[in-house]
Structure formats: structure tokens, C-alpha cells
């Protein structure tokens, strides 16, 4: 439970109308923080904002500002209206394939947008930020599980933009005292346990929702890329972290900064790997349905195994993931059914 001082704090959440951002808004409200959502609604949804506003959390206040990080005046309007104590920064383009095809779009939006945010924040003496980074900053794994000492050599533009921002934050800390925590996610999965928010992308590129969409999209065939990897069953192995466990890590990272913690970075994963085939089988178990599947050749740039070493987050933040892959798929399936109803109305 927060102290009285902490509970009055205003936390700015950029990208709060999106998938991961919205779950963090709920976690912040439940923990007693006031939340200001800043989102341009290009990838987020106004329906998500309305859902978040309807959540009754004792003593917490929520506000929404539609704005763009590429427009300085939009950012300044938030800081001039609210006394911001810290920032959770999620707003970004995040599709790997698109980033390779349209690098200009990604550098401009992700890097310049973040620079604008940092510069305005410092003008208002806000120097604490939790940043949504990614395991894509590591590139091709030299060893697994991947710890934070692993070299960062991203192989796509998305990962490069996130690494560039991490480097900027280091420079800003040395020069201006900006304190940041960078959380490097592995594969995020699942939805809110109360089925209020969940994954809502268009197009959807993530494995689990794409499998689950086969339950409501007759004729949709799941594409399985590569069954000849050097893994337990020939398919790629990934580390799936539940989105509510992820949100809890952000709360702990925020508390770490508010308690005077230095700039730091942490992997967020389970240290357990699940193959594409295992995920597929678990989706069939949870739904009780059989999905049509078509085996395709490997996709270029897909490493065989990506698993996180999460020891550092456990030791310093006191964070431990507790929700299983099955739990993530159960909540994702309930959300997929809810989303289908909403979109049909």
C-alpha cells in the first residue's frame, strides 16, 4: 500500500490507451496513484480510455489528454495543467517488420517523440521515467538465457530506436540528472483478469491472439513458420511474460525511482521457454477447439531460442512473475471473445 505522500502522486502514462499501457494504468490506479493518460489514439482506442475512466479506485483520479509527442505544445499542455511526479513511457511504433520497411517512420516517431518528452519533462523538473524497452535491443542471442550483460546489437530498426533511446537516457542522466529505468520485455501475453482491457491491434502480429482469432474467424488458417529448428520440437522457443506481471514490474520500477534509485535496466521474462507448438497446443486445450494449421518455411531473422534471465529484476526490484502461460492464454481468450462482441456491435 502506498504512503499518503505517494498516493497523491501524478503519474503520466504515454501510450496509456494501448495494450501494455492500459494494463499499467489499471495497476497504477489500484495502487493509489493519480494517472494522466497521454495518447494520440493512432494505435490506442478511445473505448479503452472510457473503460479505464470507469474504473473506480479509491482516492485515485484519472485524466485523459489526446496529444502527440511530436508536437511540443501538446506535451507542454499536459505539464502546465498537471504537476507530474514521474512518467511511464509506452508510446511508440513497435512492429518489427514495418520498422525495417519504414525506418524513417520509426526513428522520427520513437526517437524524436521521446526526445520531445524528455526535454519538456526536464523544463518542468520531472526527472524520473520508466521506459518501455525491448529484448530486441539484444539482437541475435549469443547465449541463452539472456542477461542484462548480453551485448546489445539490434538487427531491426525497432530495436535500434529503443537502444538509441536507452543511450540518450544514459547521457541525460550524466548531464542533467534524469533517472530512468529501462524494462526490456520479452514476449508479452494475456489480458486483464477482469476482462476490461486486452490486446487490440490492427493488424495483429502476435502469436497468441492470432491463434485465438481462428476461433471466431472461420476460414482463417494459422501459419506455423519453421519446424526444423534445433529446439525440443523443431519450432521456435520464446519467453512469454503475462501482461499483469509486467504491469507489476512497472509499479516496482516506479517505486524504485521514487525511493531514490539510480538509472538502471532490467529484463522482464519468466526464464522459461515455450515453443510455438506448445503455445498452439495450449491454445487448443484452453479453448477446447482444433485450429487449422499450415506449416511454412522459416522466416528470416527468427532466432531459434529467446529466453530471459530475470535474476536482476528479482534481486533489485523484488519482482517475480507468478502467472503461467495457461493463465495468459485463458485471459487472452476471454478478451478475444469480448473484443469480437464489441466489434460486432
Amino acid at each position: 500500500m502506498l504512503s499518503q505522500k505517494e498516493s497523491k502522486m501524478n503519474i503520466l502514462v504515454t501510450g496509456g490507451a494501448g495494450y501494455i499501457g492500459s494494463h499499467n494504468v489499471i495497476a497504477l490506479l489500484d495502487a493509489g496513484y493519480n494517472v494522466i493518460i497521454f495518447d494520440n489514439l493512432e494505435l490506442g482506442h478511445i473505448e479503452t480510455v472510457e473503460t479505464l475512466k470507469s474504473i473506480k479506485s479509491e482516492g485515485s483520479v484519472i485524466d485523459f489528454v489526446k496529444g502527440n509527442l511530436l508536437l511540443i505544445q501538446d506535451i507542454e499542455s499536459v505539464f502546465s495543467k498537471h504537476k507530474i511526479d514521474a512518467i511511464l513511457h509506452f508510446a511508440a511504433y513497435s512492429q518489427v517488420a514495418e520498422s525495417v520497411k519504414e525506418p524513417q517512420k520509426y526513428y522520427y516517431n520513437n526517437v524524436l517523440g521521446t526526445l520531445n518528452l524528455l526535454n519538456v519533462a526536464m523544463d518542468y523538473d520531472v526527472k524520473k521515467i520508466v521506459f518501455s524497452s525491448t529484448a530486441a535491443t539484444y539482437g541475435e542471442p549469443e547465449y541463452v538465457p539472456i542477461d542484462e550483460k548480453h551485448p546489445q546489437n539490434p538487427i531491426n530498426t525497432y530495436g535500434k530506436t529503443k537502444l538509441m533511446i536507452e543511450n540518450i537516457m544514459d547521457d541525460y542522466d550524466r548531464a542533467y540528472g534524469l533517472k530512468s529505468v529501462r524494462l526490456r520485455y520479452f514476449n508479452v501475453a494475456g489480458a486483464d483478469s477482469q476482462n476490461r482491457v486486452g490486446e487490440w491491434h490492427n493488424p495483429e502480429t502476435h502469436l497468441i491472439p492470432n491463434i485465438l482469432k481462428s476461433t471466431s474467424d472461420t476460414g482463417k488458417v494459422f501459419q506455423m513458420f519453421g519446424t526444423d529448428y534445433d529446439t525440443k520440437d523443431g519450432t521456435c522457443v520464446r519467453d512469454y511474460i503475462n501482461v499483469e506481471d509486467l504491469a507489476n514490474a512497472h509499479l516496482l520500477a516506479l517505486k524504485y525511482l521514487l525511493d531514490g534509485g539510480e538509472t538502471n535496466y532490467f529484463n522482464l521474462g519468466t526464464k522459461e521457454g515455450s515453443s510455438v507448438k506448445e503455445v498452439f497446443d495450449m491454445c487448443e486445450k484452453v479453448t477446447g477447439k482444433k485450429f487449422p494449421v499450415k506449416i511454412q518455411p522459416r522466416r528470416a531473422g527468427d532466432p531459434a531460442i529467446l529466453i530471459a534471465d530475470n535474476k536482476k529484476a528479482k534481486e533489485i526490484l523484488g519482482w517475480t512473475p507468478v502467472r503461467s502461460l495457461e493463465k495468459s492464454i485463458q485471459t487472452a481468450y476471454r478478451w478475444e471473445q469480448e473484443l469480437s462482441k464489441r466489434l460486432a456491435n
Side-chain angles (χ1 to χ4, degrees), residues 82-141:
H82 299 276
K83 184 187 179 303
I84 305 297
D85 294 288
I87 304 165
L88 268 60
H89 179 32
F90 301 97
Y93 291 140
S94 61
Q95 289 190 35
V96 170
E98 181 188 57
S99 78
V100 176
K101 293 176 182 175
E102 300 185 58
Q104 182 186 55
K105 174 180 178 180
Y106 275 67
Y107 283 116
Y108 192 66
N109 183 78
N110 293 4
V111 180
L112 181 57
T114 300
L115 276 170
N116 288 342
L117 175 65
L118 297 183
N119 292 341
V120 173
M122 289 191 304
D123 286 344
Y124 285 82
D125 200 33
V126 179
K127 295 184 176 180
K128 292 178 171 61
I129 182 168
V130 180
F131 175 56
S132 169
S133 192
T134 172
T137 62
Y138 294 120
E140 292 283 355

Side-chain angles (χ1 to χ4, degrees), residues 74-200:
D74 284 4
I75 308 171
E76 288 180 335
S77 70
V78 176
F79 282 84
S80 62
K81 180 182 177 184
H82 299 276
K83 184 187 179 303
I84 305 297
D85 294 288
I87 304 165
L88 268 60
H89 179 32
F90 301 97
Y93 291 140
S94 61
Q95 289 190 35
V96 170
E98 181 188 57
S99 78
V100 176
K101 293 176 182 175
E102 300 185 58
Q104 182 186 55
K105 174 180 178 180
Y106 275 67
Y107 283 116
Y108 192 66
N109 183 78
N110 293 4
V111 180
L112 181 57
T114 300
L115 276 170
N116 288 342
L117 175 65
L118 297 183
N119 292 341
V120 173
M122 289 191 304
D123 286 344
Y124 285 82
D125 200 33
V126 179
K127 295 184 176 180
K128 292 178 171 61
I129 182 168
V130 180
F131 175 56
S132 169
S133 192
T134 172
T137 62
Y138 294 120
E140 292 283 355
E142 296 181 8
Y143 56 85
V144 290
I146 297 170
D147 59 21
E148 288 84 356
K149 295 176 182 177
H150 189 287
Q152 288 180 287
N153 295 305
I155 59 173
N156 55 65
T157 306
Y158 168 63
K160 290 175 183 176
T161 65
K162 292 289 189 173
L163 179 56
M164 191 173 290
I165 293 166
E166 288 200 21
N167 291 333
I168 289 168
M169 288 178 169
D170 281 334
D171 289 341
Y172 274 43
D173 183 8
R174 284 186 286 267
Y176 314 121
L178 175 82
K179 301 303 176 186
S180 64
V181 171
R182 284 91 69 151
L183 299 176
R184 299 170 186 162
Y185 313 161
F186 281 64
N187 289 56
V188 186
D192 171 51
S193 295
Q194 296 184 46
N195 210 28
R196 294 166 292 187
V197 296
E199 202 157 359
W200 186 356

Side-chain angles (χ1 to χ4, degrees), residues 47-323:
E47 295 90 342
T48 300
V49 173
E50 295 305 322
T51 297
L52 295 171
K53 282 185 170 183
S54 72
I55 295 172
K56 305 299 181 188
S57 294
E58 189 175 343
S60 295
V61 177
I62 184 170
D63 192 17
F64 169 65
V65 177
K66 184 178 180 181
N68 193 323
L69 291 178
L70 296 177
L71 300 175
I72 296 285
Q73 62 267 31
D74 284 4
I75 308 171
E76 288 180 335
S77 70
V78 176
F79 282 84
S80 62
K81 180 182 177 184
H82 299 276
K83 184 187 179 303
I84 305 297
D85 294 288
I87 304 165
L88 268 60
H89 179 32
F90 301 97
Y93 291 140
S94 61
Q95 289 190 35
V96 170
E98 181 188 57
S99 78
V100 176
K101 293 176 182 175
E102 300 185 58
Q104 182 186 55
K105 174 180 178 180
Y106 275 67
Y107 283 116
Y108 192 66
N109 183 78
N110 293 4
V111 180
L112 181 57
T114 300
L115 276 170
N116 288 342
L117 175 65
L118 297 183
N119 292 341
V120 173
M122 289 191 304
D123 286 344
Y124 285 82
D125 200 33
V126 179
K127 295 184 176 180
K128 292 178 171 61
I129 182 168
V130 180
F131 175 56
S132 169
S133 192
T134 172
T137 62
Y138 294 120
E140 292 283 355
E142 296 181 8
Y143 56 85
V144 290
I146 297 170
D147 59 21
E148 288 84 356
K149 295 176 182 177
H150 189 287
Q152 288 180 287
N153 295 305
I155 59 173
N156 55 65
T157 306
Y158 168 63
K160 290 175 183 176
T161 65
K162 292 289 189 173
L163 179 56
M164 191 173 290
I165 293 166
E166 288 200 21
N167 291 333
I168 289 168
M169 288 178 169
D170 281 334
D171 289 341
Y172 274 43
D173 183 8
R174 284 186 286 267
Y176 314 121
L178 175 82
K179 301 303 176 186
S180 64
V181 171
R182 284 91 69 151
L183 299 176
R184 299 170 186 162
Y185 313 161
F186 281 64
N187 289 56
V188 186
D192 171 51
S193 295
Q194 296 184 46
N195 210 28
R196 294 166 292 187
V197 296
E199 202 157 359
W200 186 356
H201 298 127
N202 187 22
E204 182 56 71
T205 60
H206 294 159
L207 176 65
I208 291 172
N210 266 328
I211 295 173
L212 296 175
K213 284 183 188 301
S214 302
T215 64
S216 57
D217 185 355
T218 56
K220 181 179 175 65
V221 177
F222 174 68
Q223 311 287 319
M224 190 177 290
F225 294 95
T227 56
D228 59 348
Y229 288 93
D230 185 16
T231 59
K232 47 192 168 185
D233 60 21
T235 62
C236 287
V237 172
R238 296 292 182 265
D239 189 334
Y240 293 91
I241 175 70
N242 180 275
V243 69
E244 291 184 308
D245 284 339
L246 193 81
N248 183 47
H250 286 75
L251 286 182
L252 293 169
L254 176 62
K255 188 174 190 311
Y256 166 88
L257 285 177
L258 294 174
D259 288 344
E262 291 296 318
T263 289
N264 218 325
Y265 42 87
F266 303 93
N267 288 340
L268 295 185
T270 65
K271 205 175 180 180
E272 295 179 5
S274 300
S275 72
V276 173
K277 189 174 186 306
E278 286 174 330
V279 172
F280 185 82
D281 290 346
M282 183 60 74
C283 286
E284 291 196 328
K285 175 187 174 184
V286 167
T287 63
K289 299 176 183 292
K290 285 288 183 184
F291 303 126
V293 59
K294 183 177 181 181
I295 306 300
Q296 301 279 29
R298 295 185 187 190
R299 290 182 298 196
D302 270 351
I305 302 174
L306 288 176
I307 298 175
D309 185 327
N310 58 16
K311 182 180 178 183
K312 185 179 176 184
K314 287 183 176 181
E315 290 180 346
I316 296 178
L317 297 180
W319 175 75
T320 301
V322 296
R323 295 167 179 84

Side-chain angles (χ1 to χ4, degrees), residues 191-197 331 333-336 338 342:
D192 171 51
S193 295
Q194 296 184 46
N195 210 28
R196 294 166 292 187
V197 296
T331 56
Y333 183 46
R334 285 201 299 273
W335 169 252
E336 195 60 49
E338 170 66 20
R342 292 190 190 185

